Amino acid sequence: MIMNDGLYFGIKLPHILLIARGEMRLTDAFAASELLVKYIQALECDVSLFIDLEHCKYMDSTFIGFVISLSRLCDKAHLKSVVIVRPSEKALNALKILYALPHLNISQEPAPEIPVFALNKKADTLKDRKNIVLMFEAHKILSELSEENKREFSELIEELERALAKIDLPEE
C-alpha cells in the first residue's frame, strides 16, 4: 500500500501503530496527542506502541519531545513497550542530536501489519491551550535529556511559560 506523507494511526490489539512519513512537525504531534494520550491512559491491557519512522525525513523538536513523552506515558500506564521501528538515517540523526536515542527502544524489525488511517492536522492548532502545553512539555522533556538541550530550549520554554501564564489569567 502506497501512502502519502503524513502521520497514520491504527489499532489491532495488542498493538498500536503510528507511521510517520515525510516531515513530522508540531502539528503532527498535536494531531497524535489528540487521539493517543487519553486512549493510552484508559488502557487496561498489555499493548505495544510501535512508531514506524522508516520513511520519516525530518522531525522537529516538538515531535521528538512528544515521542519521548509517549514513551514516558506508556511507562506510567504500565504498557508493554514503545518501539521505534526502522528509523531512517535522518530520523536517527534527529533523535541523536537531541540526545533522545538512549531513552527509546529502537528495532530494525518490521512493525506489525495493521490497517491505518491518516490523522488530520488542523491549521490553527497554536490557538488551543492544550497544544501550547504539549509544546511546553515536549521541550521541557528534551531539556531534561542533556545540558545542551537545556541551553538550546531555555528561551523557548520561558516564552511558552509566559504564554501559558497569560492564558491562565482570569479576565477582568
Side-chain angles (χ1 to χ4, degrees), residues 20-97:
R21 296 185 59 93
E23 297 183 356
M24 295 294 107
R25 300 185 184 276
L26 59 99
T27 53
D28 297 290
F30 297 159
S33 174
E34 189 77 22
L35 185 66
L36 266 179
V37 173
K38 288 180 183 173
Y39 181 75
I40 288 171
Q41 290 170 332
L43 282 171
E44 295 180 5
C45 60
D46 283 340
V47 297
S48 296
L49 170 60
F50 295 88
I51 304 173
D52 186 330
L53 298 178
E54 184 175 7
H55 299 284
C56 182
K57 299 174 189 167
Y58 171 83
M59 292 184 288
D60 72 7
S61 56
T62 301
F63 191 81
I64 293 170
F66 174 69
V67 168
I68 297 288
S69 73
L70 279 178
S71 182
R72 289 183 177 182
L73 176 63
C74 288
D75 287 346
K76 286 180 186 173
H78 306 293
L79 300 184
K80 206 173 199 177
S81 63
V82 176
V83 180
I84 304 299
V85 177
R86 294 184 173 182
S88 67
E89 187 175 328
K90 289 182 179 184
L92 271 176
N93 286 337
L95 294 168
K96 184 177 179 182
I97 287 168

Side-chain angles (χ1 to χ4, degrees), residues 40 52 83 86 99 113 140-141 150 169:
I40 288 171
D52 186 330
V83 180
R86 294 184 173 182
Y99 303 90
E113 293 207 17
K140 192 123 171 91
I141 286 169
K150 190 174 191 175
L169 290 176

